[in-house]
Amino acid sequence: MSVQRPPLEPLRPAYRIQYLTDEQLNQLQEATLDILENVGVKFPSEKALAVLDGHGAKVDKATQIVKFPRGLVFKAMNSVPRYFMMGARVPEYDLQLEDGVNLFSPRTVVACKL
């Protein structure tokens, strides 16, 4: 027996809600880059440490702390697509994430402001 499922349609609101001001977004970005660059992130995986070291991150193998220079962060961000497909178990439920689209499901809300 086949179940008829309605197509998933994203909500495209007529207006945009901006939760943070541009100044707050800049402060958040600067704080994030500061943590990545000066505090670092612990990676308890030899394989991950080797990959990150090979891509220019500052790796301390003794502490397993990796620090990411801001140039490396921006280079990585520029190498990925701005929008992408979020794949579902059933292909007709794949969701294209894009700017200005809200997607709702029983357990998740995704608001795309990229």
Side-chain angles (χ1 to χ4, degrees):
M1 174 165 53
S2 159
V3 175
Q4 195 69 15
R5 297 180 178 159
L8 289 177
E9 294 292 330
L11 298 174
R12 298 181 192 281
Y15 58 89
R16 293 184 89 147
I17 297 173
Q18 185 168 347
Y19 297 100
L20 299 174
T21 66
D22 288 342
E23 179 59 30
Q24 289 171 320
L25 288 171
N26 288 336
Q27 289 172 349
L28 179 60
Q29 181 183 48
E30 190 56 39
T32 302
L33 290 169
D34 182 60
I35 290 169
L36 290 172
E37 194 168 32
N38 299 309
V39 177
V41 179
K42 184 167 185 144
F43 283 88
S45 163
E46 292 299 321
K47 184 175 181 180
L49 294 172
V51 168
L52 293 167
D53 188 39
H55 283 87
K58 297 175 183 172
V59 176
D60 182 332
K61 291 186 180 181
T63 63
Q64 298 179 318
I65 299 289
V66 178
K67 296 181 181 178
F68 299 87
R70 65 183 55 220
L72 181 63
V73 173
F74 287 120
K75 180 180 177 187
M77 289 174 63
N78 287 328
S79 72
V80 297
R82 184 157 178 86
Y83 307 110
F84 60 93
M85 180 74 66
M86 189 165 64
R89 289 185 198 125
V90 179
E92 61 254 24
Y93 288 110
D94 288 353
L95 299 172
Q96 179 67 35
L97 300 180
E98 56 191 66
D99 194 20
V101 170
N102 295 321
L103 303 164
F104 296 92
S105 75
R107 297 186 182 152
T108 306
V109 176
V110 178
C112 297
K113 166 105 172 61
L114 304 173

